[in-house]
Amino acid sequence: CFVGIQSAVRHKLGRDSLEGISVAIQGVGNVGRHLAALLDSAGAELYVCDLQPDQVRLVAELHGAKSVKGDAIFDLEVDVLAPCAMGAVLNDDTIPRLRASIVAGSANNQLAQDHHGDVLAARGILYAPDYAINAGGIIDVASEYEGYDRKLVRRRLEGIGATLDAIFTRARARGVSPHRIADELAVQRLRAAPRLALPLTRAA
């Protein structure tokens, strides 16, 4: 998610550094909390909210984040909104309220409906497709089956940034939402992948 935010900031804001970039993190559980730590180390200005007040206090104490109550997170004038909790948070109610230039977070299924990605694009908000930016989790788990190699995993995680670079570049060239390009790439990769012959198992 962190490298995905770096990619989005490069493409939307023309910045190679996150120093001084304002990021609002919705949800500071296991993923959001670690994202806050990485962003703090990179010099970002943080705003956070969570259903658990203790989590918010912890991130505020450790990383100097400013606490935000509830869905007021959608109204902040920030560079990046990072949804890291519930799905369907980008919808008919929240999108008109957004004052962020970028939406890039780890939550699954952030778009309430598919067309909401197009609505974000029409408003000039760069959206990092959720299953592209949050691929780190499945990369990490899949690597355990290969005999975990930390350096290899890190290289693969950094590849998320390159994937998003390609998505953003194609989306800009074609004048469409990045989620449309991500879907096309996913279909292409699935069609190109070798089909696995799964063994049949007999019930005990």
Side-chain angles (χ1 to χ4, degrees):
C1 188
F2 177 76
V3 299
I5 290 175
Q6 288 179 311
S7 172
V9 166
R10 282 196 304 273
H11 283 263
K12 182 65 178 178
L13 305 179
R15 294 271 305 273
D16 290 323
S17 169
L18 297 183
E19 182 76 35
I21 294 294
S22 54
V23 183
I25 305 176
Q26 183 201 34
V28 283
N30 190 43
V31 175
R33 185 174 69 253
H34 287 91
L35 176 61
L38 291 169
L39 290 168
D40 180 35
S41 296
E45 177 185 354
L46 301 179
Y47 299 83
V48 297
C49 74
D50 196 281
L51 295 175
Q52 303 297 325
D54 289 346
Q55 296 277 42
V56 173
R57 280 193 292 270
L58 177 63
V59 174
E61 291 172 3
L62 291 176
H63 307 297
K66 297 177 178 65
S67 172
V68 180
K69 290 190 176 181
D71 70 351
I73 199 89
F74 297 109
D75 302 309
L76 295 181
E77 188 171 354
V78 292
D79 296 307
V80 182
L81 170 66
C84 295
M86 302 171 290
V89 295
L90 302 172
N91 53 53
D92 291 337
D93 173 60
T94 60
I95 292 177
R97 296 161 53 190
L98 294 182
R99 301 168 74 188
S101 301
I102 296 164
V103 176
S106 66
N108 292 319
N109 305 313
Q110 293 171 34
L111 302 175
Q113 297 180 35
D114 193 50
H115 77 275
H116 286 123
D118 303 317
V119 178
L120 287 170
R123 288 205 55 207
I125 299 171
L126 182 62
Y127 171 60
D130 47 25
Y131 64 83
I133 192 171
N134 71 14
I138 194 65
I139 288 172
D140 191 67
V141 170
S143 298
E144 294 179 5
Y145 289 91
E146 302 174 337
Y148 201 86
D149 181 330
R150 187 173 296 277
K151 290 182 179 180
L152 177 60
V153 171
R154 177 163 289 279
R155 285 200 301 273
R156 288 175 173 171
L157 292 177
E158 290 172 351
I160 291 172
T163 297
L164 283 167
D165 284 342
I167 290 171
F168 294 147
T169 298
R170 293 190 192 186
R172 185 189 305 115
R174 289 176 48 187
V176 299
S177 167
H179 85 290
R180 299 293 181 190
I181 301 298
D183 287 351
E184 289 179 9
L185 290 175
V187 170
Q188 290 172 12
R189 291 185 181 187
L190 288 170
R191 286 176 175 166
R195 296 190 177 184
L196 300 179
L198 300 178
L200 296 176
T201 58
R202 185 186 295 272

